[in-house]
Amino acid sequence: MVIALQGSLNGFLSEELLMRSVAVFVVTLAVSISAAQSQTRSLQVYVVDVEGGNATLFIGPTGESVLIDTGNGGANAERDAGRIVDAARDAGLTQIDHLITTHWHGDHFGGMAELASNIPIGAYYDPGPSVQGQPNTVAFLADVYPGLVAEASRTIVDPGDSLSIDGLEWTIVTSGGDVLESNLAGGGGENPYCSSFEPQGPDTGENAQSVGSHIRFGEFTALHPGDITWDVEGALMCPENHIGTVDVLFVGHHGQGPASPVGSNTPQLVNAVAPRVSLINNGTRKGGQPESMSVILNSPGLEDVWMSHFSLLSGQEYTVPGIFIANTFDQELGAMPIAPLPGARDTWPDAPPHNGTAHWFKVTAMEDGTFTVTNTRN
């Protein structure tokens, strides 16, 4: 009888231990799956070539998307919108959840209507009214934009505003000529590069109105400043660096230089944020001048610079190795230029249309701060 009881007790204990083992296994499996998901959660960014305009597509870890700018308009609207749609499809998107228009220049909003006719857009963000009153912009804001935002929503953003993007901390740092006055995590402290900064006078054009964004994904950080210009850069970064350092700088103003009141990429901005990687969405005859490249290529802590196009304005003297260039030339050259083209950009004829295959850069960032950059050309 005792033996039978002992046997029954052993059976009971075995069943209890089995249940505990199953419970431990289930918990362990759940933890393992959670850890695996954490390791595979990523932020993806497509830097789409829109021939010296801007279109940068972010896909957060849960698939929520943000597009900054829609490329050129006019005869190039269909081309640029098509390139953005191609990137969205590559990312598996069926809609653009959020669209930020940095400012009202045609190379930044021109493809918007064409894009909206090809893929749904959920919400629109911009810096507010146009300040230059260019006829094409006035007509777009009066006749086209209201219809687009009526089917979604429109928000005029201010510095310090946050976009609600699942898995990301998205902070507006500039808009409408104003700048962030508080410190982001990792920001604060005197900016040593400000000792040489001299204001150049207000920029009354659209560039200075640009919406600038700071993006944080776990330990990974990035800055997309739009086309902000000299004095706005100074107000944002001097005397205190409100931003801190970043892993990736999506270089502002197509990589144009700081040589005038409407110039960009001052040492006070580029050196202070000290990006590990800088990506420049330039054209063959737009952006990447020696003045800006000398700042970008010499910023502290830099590992790589990537350019959407080989810049004839910089030549081999102020450019990067070909492996870091997504698109080469828009026309055949008799010889590879070594020296930069002389004269100002505006003295050279417009680039010929480049309607063939365009390659994008793709950034894949992890929560632990590691990231890769892929040049889809090579």
Side-chain angles (χ1 to χ4, degrees):
M1 184 176 180
V2 172
I3 295 175
L5 178 60
Q6 185 66 42
S8 299
L9 184 59
N10 286 339
F12 172 76
L13 289 175
S14 298
E15 184 177 356
E16 182 181 27
L17 287 173
L18 177 62
M19 294 303 293
R20 288 180 181 175
S21 298
V22 170
V24 170
F25 173 75
V26 170
V27 171
T28 303
L29 181 62
V31 171
S32 299
I33 291 173
S34 177
Q37 288 175 338
S38 177
Q39 291 172 359
T40 57
R41 282 163 51 94
S42 66
L43 166 65
Q44 299 178 62
V45 189
Y46 291 75
V47 180
V48 182
D49 174 34
V50 286
E51 307 295 331
N54 181 69
T56 313
L57 177 63
F58 296 76
I59 302 95
T62 64
E64 193 168 359
S65 57
V66 183
L67 174 65
I68 301 180
D69 292 334
T70 53
N72 293 280
N76 295 318
E78 183 177 356
R79 178 199 67 190
D80 287 359
R83 292 178 179 181
I84 297 168
V85 170
D86 287 344
R89 287 174 177 163
D90 187 80
L93 300 179
T94 57
Q95 70 172 28
I96 303 297
D97 297 307
H98 310 271
L99 170 60
I100 298 173
T101 299
T102 57
H103 62 292
W104 301 116
H105 274 162
D107 55 334
H108 291 259
F109 77 87
M112 189 189 303
E114 184 71 27
L115 179 67
S117 69
N118 284 277
I119 188 169
I121 299 173
Y124 294 77
Y125 307 82
D126 62 68
S130 167
V131 297
Q132 280 186 251
Q134 295 173 326
N136 289 344
T137 303
V138 171
F140 175 84
L141 291 176
D143 303 331
V144 180
Y145 199 46
L148 297 177
V149 301
E151 299 179 3
S153 65
R154 178 193 182 188
T155 303
I156 297 175
V157 293
D158 295 309
D161 287 352
S162 297
L163 269 63
S164 180
I165 313 296
D166 193 18
L168 303 180
E169 296 178 33
W170 194 293
T171 306
I172 304 302
V173 296
T174 64
S175 185
D178 297 323
V179 303
L180 184 73
E181 296 182 353
S182 57
N183 295 326
L184 299 176
E190 183 177 354
N191 182 349
Y193 301 99
C194 291
S195 60
S196 61
F197 182 77
E198 295 183 6
Q200 298 294 303
D203 175 6
T204 58
E206 303 288 355
N207 289 326
Q209 305 293 307
S210 288
V211 175
S213 297
H214 182 275
I215 302 96
R216 182 183 299 277
F217 174 52
E219 298 299 315
F220 174 83
T221 55
L223 179 66
H224 191 300
D227 280 10
I228 60 171
T229 47
W230 186 292
D231 280 10
V232 180
E233 290 187 359
L236 177 65
M237 304 302 296
C238 294
E240 192 172 21
N241 177 358
H242 295 305
I243 304 297
T245 59
V246 299
D247 294 299
V248 171
L249 174 63
F250 297 97
V251 173
H253 210 172
H254 321 289
Q256 296 195 57
S260 73
V262 295
S264 304
N265 297 297
T266 59
Q268 288 73 31
L269 172 67
V270 177
N271 288 352
V273 299
R276 292 174 59 191
V277 165
S278 287
L279 294 104
I280 308 174
N281 207 344
N282 66 307
T284 55
R285 293 170 174 81
K286 184 177 182 181
Q289 292 100 314
E291 306 84 39
S292 55
M293 293 304 294
S294 62
V295 174
I296 294 165
L297 289 167
N298 288 289
S299 59
L302 183 73
E303 297 175 27
D304 298 326
V305 175
W306 306 66
M307 302 177 70
S308 286
H309 284 269
F310 178 86
S311 173
L312 295 174
L313 303 180
S314 63
Q316 294 182 60
E317 189 81 15
Y318 292 93
T319 193
V320 298
I323 195 171
F324 297 105
I325 299 175
N327 302 282
T328 50
F329 306 108
D330 44 38
Q331 60 185 166
E332 290 298 321
L333 301 176
M336 175 71 75
I338 295 177
L341 287 180
R345 175 178 68 87
D346 293 339
T347 66
W348 289 90
D350 291 338
H354 176 218
N355 297 318
T357 300
H359 304 282
W360 58 64
F361 293 126
K362 184 179 179 181
V363 179
T364 302
M366 311 303 288
E367 285 184 288
D368 63 3
T370 60
F371 63 100
T372 61
V373 182
T374 300
N375 179 355
T376 55
R377 181 176 66 83
N378 53 31

